[in-house]
Coordinates of all heavy atoms in Angstrom, one line a residue:
M1 N -14.1 4.0 12.0 CA -13.9 5.1 11.1 C -14.6 4.7 9.9 O -14.0 4.6 8.8 CB -12.4 5.4 10.8 CG -11.6 5.8 12.0 SD -10.0 6.4 11.5 CE -10.0 7.8 12.4
E2 N -15.9 4.5 10.0 CA -16.7 4.1 8.8 C -16.5 5.2 7.6 O -16.6 4.8 6.4 CB -18.2 3.9 9.2 CG -19.0 3.2 8.2 CD -18.5 1.8 8.0 OE1 -18.1 1.2 8.9 OE2 -18.6 1.4 6.8
G3 N -16.4 6.5 7.8 CA -16.3 7.4 6.8 C -15.0 7.2 6.0 O -15.0 7.7 4.8
H4 N -14.0 6.5 6.5 CA -12.8 6.3 5.7 C -13.0 5.1 4.7 O -12.1 4.8 3.9 CB -11.7 5.9 6.6 CG -11.0 7.2 7.2 ND1 -10.4 7.2 8.4 CD2 -11.0 8.5 6.7 CE1 -10.0 8.4 8.6 NE2 -10.3 9.2 7.6
R5 N -14.0 4.3 4.9 CA -14.2 3.1 4.1 C -14.5 3.4 2.6 O -15.3 4.2 2.3 CB -15.3 2.2 4.6 CG -15.1 1.9 6.1 CD -14.7 0.4 6.2 NE -14.5 0.1 7.6 CZ -13.6 -0.3 8.1 NH1 -12.6 -0.7 7.4 NH2 -13.4 -0.6 9.5
R6 N -13.6 2.9 1.8 CA -13.8 2.9 0.3 C -12.9 1.8 -0.3 O -12.1 1.3 0.4 CB -13.4 4.3 -0.2 CG -11.9 4.4 -0.5 CD -11.7 5.6 -1.4 NE -10.3 5.9 -1.9 CZ -9.7 5.3 -2.8 NH1 -10.2 4.2 -3.4 NH2 -8.4 5.6 -3.2
T7 N -13.1 1.6 -1.6 CA -12.5 0.6 -2.2 C -11.0 1.1 -2.6 O -10.9 2.1 -3.3 CB -13.2 0.2 -3.5 OG1 -14.4 -0.3 -3.2 CG2 -12.4 -0.9 -4.2
M8 N -10.0 0.6 -2.0 CA -8.6 0.9 -2.3 C -7.9 -0.4 -2.3 O -8.2 -1.3 -1.5 CB -8.0 1.9 -1.3 CG -6.6 2.2 -1.7 SD -5.9 3.6 -0.7 CE -5.5 2.9 0.8
H9 N -7.0 -0.7 -3.2 CA -6.3 -1.9 -3.3 C -4.8 -1.6 -3.2 O -4.2 -0.7 -3.7 CB -6.5 -2.5 -4.6 CG -5.8 -3.9 -4.7 ND1 -6.2 -5.0 -4.0 CD2 -4.7 -4.3 -5.3 CE1 -5.3 -6.0 -4.2 NE2 -4.5 -5.5 -5.1
V10 N -4.1 -2.3 -2.4 CA -2.7 -2.4 -2.1 C -2.1 -3.6 -2.7 O -2.5 -4.8 -2.3 CB -2.4 -2.2 -0.6 CG1 -0.9 -2.2 -0.4 CG2 -3.0 -0.9 0.0
L11 N -1.0 -3.5 -3.4 CA -0.3 -4.6 -4.0 C 1.1 -4.6 -3.5 O 1.7 -3.6 -3.6 CB -0.4 -4.6 -5.5 CG 0.5 -5.7 -6.2 CD1 -0.2 -7.0 -5.9 CD2 0.4 -5.4 -7.8
I12 N 1.5 -5.8 -3.1 CA 2.9 -5.8 -2.5 C 3.8 -6.9 -3.4 O 3.6 -8.0 -3.3 CB 3.0 -6.3 -1.1 CG1 1.9 -5.5 -0.2 CG2 4.4 -6.2 -0.5 CD1 1.9 -6.2 1.1
P13 N 4.7 -6.3 -4.3 CA 5.6 -7.4 -4.9 C 6.6 -7.7 -3.8 O 7.1 -7.0 -3.1 CB 6.2 -6.4 -5.9 CG 5.4 -5.3 -6.1 CD 4.8 -5.0 -4.8
T14 N 6.7 -9.1 -3.6 CA 7.4 -9.7 -2.6 C 8.4 -10.8 -3.1 O 8.3 -11.2 -4.3 CB 6.6 -10.3 -1.4 OG1 5.8 -11.3 -2.0 CG2 5.7 -9.3 -0.9
Q15 N 9.2 -11.4 -2.2 CA 9.9 -12.6 -2.5 C 10.1 -13.4 -1.2 O 9.8 -12.9 -0.2 CB 11.3 -12.3 -3.1 CG 12.2 -11.7 -2.0 CD 13.6 -11.3 -2.7 OE1 13.7 -11.2 -4.0 NE2 14.6 -11.2 -1.9
E16 N 10.4 -14.6 -1.4 CA 10.6 -15.6 -0.4 C 11.8 -15.2 0.5 O 12.7 -14.5 0.0 CB 10.8 -17.0 -0.8 CG 9.5 -17.7 -1.3 CD 9.7 -19.1 -1.7 OE1 10.5 -19.7 -0.9 OE2 9.1 -19.6 -2.7
H17 N 11.7 -15.5 1.8 CA 12.8 -15.3 2.7 C 13.2 -13.7 2.8 O 14.3 -13.4 2.8 CB 14.0 -16.1 2.4 CG 13.6 -17.5 2.2 ND1 13.2 -18.4 3.2 CD2 13.7 -18.2 1.0 CE1 13.0 -19.5 2.7 NE2 13.3 -19.5 1.4
C18 N 12.1 -12.9 2.8 CA 12.4 -11.5 2.8 C 11.8 -10.9 4.1 O 10.5 -10.8 4.2 CB 11.8 -10.9 1.5 SG 11.6 -9.0 1.6
G19 N 12.6 -10.5 5.1 CA 12.2 -9.9 6.3 C 11.3 -8.7 6.1 O 10.3 -8.5 6.9
F20 N 11.7 -7.8 5.3 CA 11.0 -6.5 5.0 C 9.6 -6.8 4.4 O 8.7 -6.1 4.7 CB 11.8 -5.6 4.1 CG 13.0 -5.0 4.8 CD1 14.0 -4.4 4.1 CD2 13.1 -4.8 6.2 CE1 15.1 -3.8 4.6 CE2 14.2 -4.3 6.8 CZ 15.1 -3.7 6.0
C21 N 9.6 -7.8 3.6 CA 8.4 -8.3 2.9 C 7.3 -8.7 4.1 O 6.1 -8.3 4.1 CB 8.5 -9.4 2.0 SG 9.5 -8.9 0.5
E22 N 7.8 -9.5 5.0 CA 6.9 -9.9 6.1 C 6.5 -8.7 7.0 O 5.3 -8.6 7.3 CB 7.6 -11.0 6.9 CG 7.9 -12.2 6.3 CD 6.6 -12.9 5.8 OE1 5.5 -12.9 6.4 OE2 6.5 -13.3 4.6
Q23 N 7.4 -7.8 7.2 CA 7.1 -6.5 8.0 C 6.1 -5.8 7.2 O 5.1 -5.3 7.8 CB 8.3 -5.7 8.1 CG 8.1 -4.5 9.0 CD 9.4 -3.6 9.2 OE1 10.3 -3.9 8.5 NE2 9.2 -2.7 10.1
A24 N 6.2 -5.6 5.9 CA 5.2 -4.9 5.1 C 3.8 -5.5 5.2 O 2.8 -4.8 5.3 CB 5.6 -4.8 3.6
K25 N 3.8 -6.7 5.2 CA 2.5 -7.6 5.3 C 1.9 -7.2 6.6 O 0.6 -7.0 6.7 CB 2.7 -9.0 4.9 CG 3.0 -9.3 3.6 CD 3.3 -10.9 3.5 CE 4.0 -11.2 2.3 NZ 4.3 -12.7 2.2
E26 N 2.7 -7.3 7.7 CA 2.1 -7.0 9.0 C 1.6 -5.6 9.2 O 0.5 -5.4 9.8 CB 3.2 -7.3 10.1 CG 3.7 -8.9 10.2 CD 4.9 -9.1 11.0 OE1 5.4 -8.1 11.6 OE2 5.3 -10.2 11.1
V27 N 2.3 -4.6 8.7 CA 1.9 -3.3 8.7 C 0.7 -3.1 8.0 O -0.3 -2.4 8.4 CB 3.0 -2.3 8.1 CG1 2.5 -1.0 7.8 CG2 4.2 -2.2 9.1
L28 N 0.5 -3.7 6.8 CA -0.7 -3.5 5.9 C -1.9 -4.3 6.6 O -3.0 -3.8 6.4 CB -0.5 -3.9 4.6 CG 0.4 -2.9 3.8 CD1 1.0 -3.5 2.5 CD2 -0.4 -1.7 3.4
D29 N -1.6 -5.4 7.3 CA -2.7 -6.2 7.9 C -3.3 -5.2 9.0 O -4.5 -5.2 9.2 CB -2.1 -7.4 8.6 CG -2.0 -8.5 7.5 OD1 -2.5 -8.4 6.4 OD2 -1.3 -9.6 7.9
R30 N -2.4 -4.4 9.8 CA -2.9 -3.6 10.8 C -3.8 -2.5 10.2 O -4.9 -2.1 10.7 CB -1.8 -3.0 11.6 CG -1.2 -4.0 12.6 CD -0.3 -3.3 13.5 NE 0.9 -2.7 13.0 CZ 2.0 -3.4 12.8 NH1 2.2 -4.6 13.1 NH2 3.1 -2.7 12.2
E31 N -3.3 -1.9 9.1 CA -4.0 -0.8 8.5 C -5.2 -1.2 7.9 O -6.2 -0.4 7.9 CB -3.0 -0.1 7.4 CG -1.7 0.6 8.0 CD -2.0 1.5 9.2 OE1 -3.0 2.3 9.0 OE2 -1.2 1.5 10.2
T32 N -5.3 -2.5 7.3 CA -6.5 -2.9 6.7 C -7.6 -2.9 7.7 O -8.7 -2.7 7.3 CB -6.1 -4.3 6.1 OG1 -5.2 -4.1 5.1 CG2 -7.4 -4.9 5.5
V33 N -7.3 -3.4 8.9 CA -8.4 -3.5 9.9 C -9.0 -2.1 10.1 O -10.3 -2.0 10.3 CB -7.8 -4.0 11.3 CG1 -8.8 -3.8 12.4 CG2 -7.3 -5.5 11.1
E34 N -8.1 -1.1 10.1 CA -8.8 0.2 10.4 C -9.5 0.9 9.2 O -10.5 1.5 9.2 CB -7.7 1.2 10.9 CG -8.2 2.5 11.2 CD -7.3 3.5 12.0 OE1 -6.2 3.0 12.4 OE2 -7.7 4.7 12.1
Y35 N -8.8 0.7 8.0 CA -9.2 1.4 6.8 C -10.0 0.5 5.8 O -10.7 1.1 4.9 CB -8.1 2.1 6.1 CG -7.5 3.2 7.0 CD1 -6.2 2.9 7.6 CD2 -8.0 4.4 7.2 CE1 -5.6 3.9 8.4 CE2 -7.5 5.3 8.0 CZ -6.3 5.2 8.7 OH -5.8 6.0 9.4
G36 N -10.0 -0.7 5.9 CA -10.7 -1.6 5.1 C -10.5 -1.7 3.6 O -11.3 -1.9 2.8
F37 N -9.1 -1.7 3.3 CA -8.8 -1.8 1.9 C -8.3 -3.2 1.6 O -8.1 -4.0 2.6 CB -7.7 -0.8 1.5 CG -6.5 -0.7 2.4 CD1 -5.5 -1.7 2.3 CD2 -6.4 0.2 3.4 CE1 -4.4 -1.7 3.2 CE2 -5.3 0.3 4.2 CZ -4.2 -0.7 4.1
S38 N -8.1 -3.6 0.4 CA -7.7 -5.0 0.1 C -6.2 -5.0 -0.1 O -5.6 -4.0 -0.6 CB -8.5 -5.5 -1.1 OG -8.2 -4.8 -2.3
V39 N -5.6 -6.1 0.1 CA -4.2 -6.3 0.0 C -3.9 -7.7 -0.8 O -4.6 -8.7 -0.5 CB -3.4 -6.3 1.3 CG1 -1.9 -6.6 1.1 CG2 -3.7 -5.0 2.1
S40 N -3.0 -7.6 -1.7 CA -2.6 -8.8 -2.4 C -1.1 -8.8 -2.6 O -0.4 -7.7 -2.5 CB -3.3 -9.0 -3.7 OG -3.0 -8.0 -4.6
T41 N -0.5 -9.9 -2.8 CA 1.0 -10.0 -3.0 C 1.2 -10.6 -4.4 O 0.4 -11.2 -5.0 CB 1.7 -10.8 -1.9 OG1 1.1 -12.2 -2.1 CG2 1.5 -10.2 -0.6
L42 N 2.4 -10.3 -4.9 CA 2.8 -10.8 -6.2 C 4.3 -11.1 -6.0 O 5.1 -10.2 -5.5 CB 2.6 -9.7 -7.3 CG 3.0 -9.9 -8.7 CD1 2.2 -11.1 -9.3 CD2 2.9 -8.7 -9.5
N43 N 4.7 -12.3 -6.6 CA 6.1 -12.6 -6.5 C 6.9 -11.8 -7.5 O 6.6 -11.7 -8.7 CB 6.3 -14.1 -6.9 CG 7.7 -14.6 -6.7 OD1 8.7 -13.9 -6.9 ND2 7.8 -15.9 -6.5
V44 N 7.8 -11.0 -6.9 CA 8.7 -10.1 -7.8 C 9.5 -10.9 -8.8 O 10.0 -10.2 -9.8 CB 9.4 -9.2 -6.9 CG1 10.8 -9.9 -6.3 CG2 9.9 -7.9 -7.6
G45 N 9.7 -12.2 -8.5 CA 10.5 -12.9 -9.5 C 9.7 -13.5 -10.7 O 10.2 -13.9 -11.7
S46 N 8.3 -13.3 -10.7 CA 7.5 -13.7 -11.8 C 7.6 -12.7 -12.9 O 8.0 -11.5 -12.7 CB 6.1 -13.8 -11.4 OG 5.4 -12.6 -11.1
P47 N 7.3 -13.1 -14.1 CA 7.4 -12.1 -15.2 C 6.5 -10.8 -15.0 O 6.9 -9.6 -15.2 CB 6.8 -12.8 -16.5 CG 7.2 -14.3 -16.2 CD 7.0 -14.4 -14.6
E48 N 5.2 -11.0 -14.4 CA 4.4 -9.9 -14.1 C 5.0 -9.1 -13.0 O 4.9 -7.9 -13.0 CB 3.0 -10.5 -13.7 CG 2.0 -9.4 -13.4 CD 0.6 -9.9 -12.9 OE1 0.4 -11.1 -12.8 OE2 -0.2 -9.1 -12.6
G49 N 5.6 -9.7 -11.9 CA 6.2 -9.1 -10.9 C 7.4 -8.3 -11.3 O 7.6 -7.1 -10.8
Q50 N 8.2 -8.7 -12.2 CA 9.4 -8.0 -12.8 C 8.9 -6.8 -13.6 O 9.5 -5.7 -13.5 CB 10.2 -9.0 -13.6 CG 11.0 -10.0 -12.8 CD 11.7 -11.0 -13.7 OE1 11.7 -11.0 -14.9 NE2 12.4 -12.0 -13.1
T51 N 7.9 -7.0 -14.4 CA 7.4 -5.9 -15.1 C 6.9 -4.8 -14.2 O 7.1 -3.6 -14.4 CB 6.2 -6.3 -16.0 OG1 6.9 -7.3 -17.0 CG2 5.7 -5.2 -16.8
L52 N 6.1 -5.1 -13.2 CA 5.6 -4.1 -12.2 C 6.7 -3.5 -11.5 O 6.6 -2.2 -11.4 CB 4.6 -4.9 -11.3 CG 4.0 -4.0 -10.2 CD1 2.9 -3.0 -10.9 CD2 3.2 -4.9 -9.2
A53 N 7.7 -4.3 -11.0 CA 8.8 -3.6 -10.3 C 9.5 -2.6 -11.2 O 9.9 -1.6 -10.7 CB 9.7 -4.6 -9.9
M54 N 9.8 -3.0 -12.5 CA 10.5 -2.1 -13.4 C 9.7 -0.8 -13.6 O 10.2 0.4 -13.6 CB 10.9 -2.8 -14.7 CG 12.0 -3.8 -14.5 SD 12.5 -4.7 -16.0 CE 12.1 -3.7 -17.4
R55 N 8.4 -1.0 -13.9 CA 7.5 0.1 -14.2 C 7.4 1.1 -12.9 O 7.3 2.3 -13.2 CB 6.1 -0.3 -14.5 CG 5.1 0.7 -14.7 CD 3.7 0.2 -15.0 NE 3.1 -0.5 -14.0 CZ 2.4 -0.1 -13.0 NH1 2.2 1.2 -12.9 NH2 1.8 -0.8 -12.1
G56 N 7.4 0.5 -11.8 CA 7.2 1.4 -10.6 C 8.5 1.7 -9.9 O 8.5 2.4 -8.8
G57 N 9.7 1.3 -10.5 CA 11.0 1.8 -9.8 C 11.3 1.0 -8.6 O 12.0 1.6 -7.7
V58 N 10.8 -0.1 -8.4 CA 11.0 -0.9 -7.1 C 12.4 -1.6 -7.4 O 12.5 -2.4 -8.2 CB 10.0 -2.0 -6.9 CG1 10.2 -2.8 -5.8 CG2 8.6 -1.3 -6.7
L59 N 13.4 -1.1 -6.6 CA 14.8 -1.7 -6.8 C 14.9 -3.0 -6.1 O 15.7 -3.7 -6.5 CB 15.8 -0.6 -6.2 CG 15.7 0.7 -7.0 CD1 16.8 1.7 -6.4 CD2 15.9 0.7 -8.5
F60 N 14.2 -3.1 -5.0 CA 14.2 -4.4 -4.2 C 12.9 -4.6 -3.4 O 12.3 -3.6 -3.1 CB 15.5 -4.5 -3.3 CG 15.7 -3.4 -2.4 CD1 15.1 -3.3 -1.2 CD2 16.5 -2.3 -2.8 CE1 15.3 -2.3 -0.3 CE2 16.6 -1.3 -2.0 CZ 16.2 -1.2 -0.8
P61 N 12.5 -5.8 -3.2 CA 11.2 -5.9 -2.4 C 11.5 -5.6 -1.0 O 12.5 -5.6 -0.5 CB 11.0 -7.4 -2.6 CG 12.2 -8.1 -2.9 CD 13.1 -7.0 -3.6
P62 N 10.2 -5.4 -0.3 CA 8.9 -5.3 -0.9 C 8.6 -3.9 -1.6 O 9.2 -3.0 -1.2 CB 8.0 -5.5 0.2 CG 8.7 -4.8 1.4 CD 10.2 -5.2 1.1
G63 N 7.8 -4.0 -2.6 CA 7.3 -2.8 -3.1 C 5.8 -2.5 -2.6 O 5.3 -3.6 -2.1
I64 N 5.4 -1.4 -2.5 CA 4.0 -1.1 -2.1 C 3.4 -0.2 -3.1 O 3.8 0.9 -3.5 CB 3.9 -0.5 -0.7 CG1 4.6 -1.4 0.3 CG2 2.5 -0.1 -0.3 CD1 4.5 -0.8 1.8
F65 N 2.3 -0.7 -3.8 CA 1.5 0.1 -4.8 C 0.2 0.3 -4.2 O -0.5 -0.6 -3.7 CB 1.5 -0.8 -6.0 CG 2.8 -0.9 -6.8 CD1 3.7 -1.7 -6.4 CD2 2.9 -0.1 -8.0 CE1 4.9 -1.8 -7.1 CE2 4.1 -0.2 -8.8 CZ 5.0 -1.1 -8.3
L66 N -0.2 1.6 -4.2 CA -1.5 1.9 -3.6 C -2.4 2.3 -4.9 O -2.0 3.3 -5.6 CB -1.4 3.2 -2.8 CG -0.5 3.1 -1.6 CD1 -0.5 4.3 -0.8 CD2 -1.0 1.9 -0.6
D67 N -3.4 1.6 -5.2 CA -4.3 1.8 -6.3 C -3.4 1.8 -7.6 O -3.5 2.8 -8.4 CB -5.1 3.0 -6.2 CG -6.3 2.7 -5.3 OD1 -6.7 1.6 -5.0 OD2 -6.7 3.8 -4.7
D68 N -2.5 0.8 -7.7 CA -1.6 0.7 -9.0 C -0.6 1.8 -9.1 O 0.1 1.9 -10.0 CB -2.5 0.6 -10.3 CG -3.3 -0.6 -10.3 OD1 -2.9 -1.6 -9.8 OD2 -4.4 -0.5 -10.8
E69 N -0.4 2.7 -8.1 CA 0.6 3.7 -8.1 C 1.7 3.4 -7.2 O 1.4 3.0 -6.1 CB 0.0 5.1 -7.7 CG -1.0 5.6 -8.6 CD -1.6 6.9 -8.2 OE1 -1.0 7.5 -7.2 OE2 -2.6 7.4 -8.7
P70 N 3.0 3.3 -7.6 CA 4.1 3.1 -6.7 C 4.1 4.0 -5.5 O 4.0 5.3 -5.7 CB 5.4 3.3 -7.6 CG 4.9 3.6 -9.0 CD 3.5 3.8 -8.9
F71 N 4.3 3.4 -4.4 CA 4.3 4.2 -3.1 C 5.8 4.2 -2.6 O 6.3 5.2 -2.2 CB 3.3 3.8 -2.1 CG 3.4 4.5 -0.8 CD1 3.1 5.8 -0.6 CD2 3.9 3.8 0.3 CE1 3.3 6.3 0.7 CE2 4.0 4.2 1.5 CZ 3.7 5.6 1.8
S72 N 6.3 2.9 -2.4 CA 7.6 2.8 -1.7 C 8.1 1.5 -2.0 O 7.5 0.6 -2.5 CB 7.5 3.0 -0.2 OG 6.8 1.9 0.5
Y73 N 9.3 1.3 -1.7 CA 10.0 0.0 -1.7 C 11.0 -0.2 -0.6 O 11.3 0.8 0.1 CB 10.6 -0.3 -3.1 CG 11.8 0.5 -3.3 CD1 13.1 0.1 -2.9 CD2 11.7 1.7 -4.1 CE1 14.2 0.9 -3.3 CE2 12.7 2.5 -4.3 CZ 14.0 2.1 -4.0 OH 15.0 2.9 -4.2
G74 N 11.4 -1.5 -0.2 CA 12.2 -1.6 0.9 C 11.4 -1.6 2.3 O 10.3 -1.9 2.3
R75 N 12.1 -1.4 3.4 CA 11.5 -1.4 4.7 C 10.4 -0.3 4.6 O 10.6 0.8 4.4 CB 12.6 -1.0 5.7 CG 12.0 -1.1 7.1 CD 13.1 -0.7 8.1 NE 12.5 -0.9 9.4 CZ 13.1 -0.8 10.6 NH1 14.4 -0.4 10.5 NH2 12.7 -0.9 11.6
P76 N 9.2 -0.8 5.0 CA 8.1 0.1 5.0 C 8.0 1.0 6.2 O 8.4 0.6 7.4 CB 6.8 -0.8 5.0 CG 7.3 -2.1 5.7 CD 8.9 -2.2 5.3
S77 N 7.6 2.3 6.1 CA 7.4 3.2 7.2 C 5.9 3.2 7.5 O 5.1 3.7 6.6 CB 7.9 4.6 6.8 OG 7.3 5.6 7.7
E78 N 5.5 2.7 8.6 CA 4.1 2.7 8.9 C 3.4 4.1 9.0 O 2.4 4.4 8.6 CB 3.8 1.9 10.3 CG 2.4 1.6 10.5 CD 2.2 0.5 11.6 OE1 3.1 0.0 12.1 OE2 0.9 0.2 11.8
R79 N 4.2 5.0 9.5 CA 3.8 6.3 9.7 C 3.6 7.0 8.3 O 2.5 7.7 8.1 CB 4.9 7.2 10.5 CG 4.3 8.6 10.7 CD 5.3 9.4 11.4 NE 5.4 8.9 12.9 CZ 6.4 9.3 13.8 NH1 7.3 10.0 13.5 NH2 6.2 8.7 15.0
K80 N 4.5 6.8 7.4 CA 4.5 7.4 6.1 C 3.3 6.8 5.4 O 2.5 7.5 4.7 CB 5.7 7.2 5.4 CG 5.8 7.7 4.0 CD 7.2 7.4 3.4 CE 7.1 7.8 1.9 NZ 8.4 7.4 1.3
L81 N 3.2 5.5 5.5 CA 2.1 4.8 4.8 C 0.6 5.2 5.4 O -0.3 5.6 4.6 CB 2.1 3.3 5.1 CG 1.0 2.4 4.4 CD1 1.0 2.5 2.9 CD2 1.3 0.9 4.8
R82 N 0.5 5.4 6.7 CA -0.7 5.8 7.3 C -1.1 7.3 6.8 O -2.3 7.5 6.4 CB -0.7 5.8 8.8 CG -1.8 6.3 9.6 CD -1.7 6.1 11.0 NE -1.9 4.9 11.4 CZ -3.1 4.3 11.8 NH1 -4.2 5.2 11.9 NH2 -3.3 3.1 12.1
R83 N -0.1 8.1 6.8 CA -0.3 9.5 6.3 C -0.8 9.5 4.9 O -1.8 10.2 4.5 CB 0.9 10.4 6.3 CG 1.1 10.9 7.9 CD 2.2 12.1 7.8 NE 3.4 11.6 7.1 CZ 4.5 11.4 7.7 NH1 4.7 11.5 9.0 NH2 5.6 11.1 7.0
E84 N -0.3 8.6 4.0 CA -0.7 8.6 2.6 C -2.1 8.1 2.4 O -2.9 8.5 1.7 CB 0.3 7.8 1.7 CG 0.0 7.7 0.3 CD 0.0 9.0 -0.5 OE1 0.4 10.2 0.1 OE2 -0.6 9.1 -1.5
I85 N -2.4 7.0 3.2 CA -3.7 6.4 3.2 C -4.7 7.4 3.6 O -5.8 7.6 2.9 CB -3.8 5.2 4.0 CG1 -2.9 4.0 3.3 CG2 -5.2 4.7 4.2 CD1 -2.7 2.8 4.3
E86 N -4.5 8.1 4.7 CA -5.4 9.1 5.2 C -5.6 10.3 4.2 O -6.6 10.7 3.9 CB -5.0 9.6 6.6 CG -5.2 8.6 7.6 CD -4.8 9.0 9.0 OE1 -4.1 10.1 9.1 OE2 -5.0 8.3 9.9
R87 N -4.5 10.7 3.6 CA -4.5 11.8 2.6 C -5.4 11.3 1.4 O -6.4 12.1 0.9 CB -3.1 12.0 2.0 CG -3.1 13.2 1.0 CD -1.7 13.4 0.4 NE -1.5 12.4 -0.6 CZ -2.1 12.2 -1.8 NH1 -2.9 13.1 -2.3 NH2 -1.8 11.3 -2.6
R88 N -5.2 10.1 0.9 CA -6.0 9.5 -0.2 C -7.5 9.5 0.2 O -8.4 9.8 -0.7 CB -5.5 8.3 -0.7 CG -4.1 8.4 -1.5 CD -3.5 7.1 -1.8 NE -2.3 7.1 -2.4 CZ -2.1 6.8 -3.7 NH1 -3.0 6.2 -4.3 NH2 -0.8 6.9 -4.2
L89 N -7.8 9.0 1.2 CA -9.2 8.8 1.7 C -9.8 10.1 2.0 O -11.0 10.3 1.7 CB -9.2 7.9 2.9 CG -8.8 6.4 2.7 CD1 -8.8 5.6 4.1 CD2 -9.6 5.7 1.7
K90 N -9.1 11.1 2.5 CA -9.7 12.4 2.7 C -9.9 13.0 1.4 O -11.0 13.7 1.2 CB -8.6 13.2 3.5 CG -9.2 14.7 3.8 CD -8.4 15.5 4.6 CE -8.9 16.8 5.0 NZ -10.1 17.3 4.3
S91 N -9.1 12.9 0.4 CA -9.4 13.4 -1.0 C -10.7 12.8 -1.5 O -11.4 13.5 -2.1 CB -8.2 13.1 -1.8 OG -8.4 13.4 -3.2
V92 N -10.8 11.5 -1.4 CA -12.1 10.8 -1.8 C -13.3 11.5 -1.1 O -14.3 11.7 -1.7 CB -12.0 9.3 -1.7 CG1 -13.3 8.7 -1.9 CG2 -10.9 8.8 -2.6
E93 N -13.2 11.6 0.3 CA -14.3 12.2 1.0 C -14.7 13.5 0.6 O -15.8 13.9 0.4 CB -14.0 12.1 2.5 CG -14.1 10.8 3.2 CD -13.7 10.8 4.7 OE1 -13.4 12.0 5.1 OE2 -13.7 9.8 5.3
D94 N -13.6 14.4 0.3 CA -13.8 15.7 0.0 C -14.5 15.8 -1.4 O -15.3 16.6 -1.7 CB -12.4 16.5 -0.1 CG -11.9 16.7 1.2 OD1 -12.6 16.6 2.3 OD2 -10.7 17.2 1.3
D95 N -14.0 14.8 -2.3 CA -14.7 14.8 -3.7 C -16.2 14.4 -3.5 O -17.0 14.9 -4.3 CB -13.9 13.8 -4.6 CG -12.6 14.3 -4.9 OD1 -12.3 15.5 -4.8 OD2 -11.8 13.5 -5.5
A96 N -16.4 13.5 -2.6 CA -17.8 13.1 -2.5 C -18.7 14.2 -1.8 O -19.9 14.2 -2.3 CB -17.8 11.8 -1.5
H97 N -18.1 15.0 -1.0 CA -18.9 16.1 -0.4 C -19.1 17.3 -1.5 O -20.0 17.9 -1.3 CB -18.2 16.6 0.8 CG -18.3 15.6 1.9 ND1 -19.4 15.2 2.5 CD2 -17.3 15.0 2.6 CE1 -19.2 14.4 3.5 NE2 -17.9 14.2 3.6
T98 N -18.3 17.4 -2.4 CA -18.4 18.5 -3.4 C -19.1 18.0 -4.7 O -19.4 18.9 -5.5 CB -17.0 19.1 -3.7 OG1 -16.2 18.1 -4.3 CG2 -16.4 19.6 -2.5
A99 N -19.3 16.7 -4.8 CA -20.0 16.2 -6.1 C -21.5 16.7 -6.1 O -22.1 16.8 -5.0 CB -19.9 14.8 -6.1
P100 N -22.0 17.1 -7.3 CA -23.4 17.6 -7.3 C -24.3 16.5 -7.0 O -24.2 15.4 -7.1 CB -23.5 18.0 -8.7 CG -22.4 17.6 -9.5 CD -21.4 17.1 -8.5

């Protein structure tokens, strides 16, 4: 799906020994193969991680931020994530087609 390729970044605030965090990483690894976005993690216990979690309303890890916008926290829904990624990428494609 080369048309879907664009620069999008996903940030996951995580913590050690977190099953849902591992699940989020696995889901995002699969989606990255198809959509080509970058993924990074941040320890939610770090000062930066705590600030991000508070700003984004992440009550417990993992959090998922799409292009610096809070998307979800806790157990990730692959279907919900995929729909949101496709919505955002379609929006970018539509903008590219309507740009002068």
Side-chain angles (χ1 to χ4, degrees):
M1 299 189 133
E2 194 61 37
H4 280 153
R5 303 255 184 230
R6 81 158 184 83
T7 303
M8 182 165 78
H9 182 70
V10 179
L11 177 63
I12 313 170
T14 64
Q15 70 182 21
E16 289 186 36
H17 311 295
C18 170
F20 288 159
C21 298
E22 292 304 315
Q23 183 182 13
K25 290 176 198 174
E26 290 169 5
V27 165
L28 287 163
D29 283 347
R30 285 192 296 273
E31 299 302 322
T32 298
V33 169
E34 183 167 351
Y35 296 107
F37 51 82
S38 63
V39 177
S40 62
T41 60
L42 176 66
N43 184 333
V44 78
S46 70
E48 184 182 359
Q50 290 175 0
T51 300
L52 182 67
M54 285 178 30
R55 178 180 62 84
V58 175
L59 301 179
F60 52 88
I64 297 177
F65 287 76
L66 304 175
D67 286 335
D68 297 323
E69 295 178 13
F71 171 70
S72 70
Y73 65 89
R75 183 177 183 182
S77 166
E78 189 164 0
R79 180 180 294 166
K80 182 179 170 187
L81 179 62
R82 178 178 281 269
R83 277 195 309 255
E84 180 62 15
I85 290 167
E86 288 178 351
R87 184 191 70 76
R88 288 174 183 243
L89 295 176
K90 181 172 180 357
S91 174
V92 168
E93 284 181 1
D94 290 347
D95 290 347
H97 291 298
T98 59

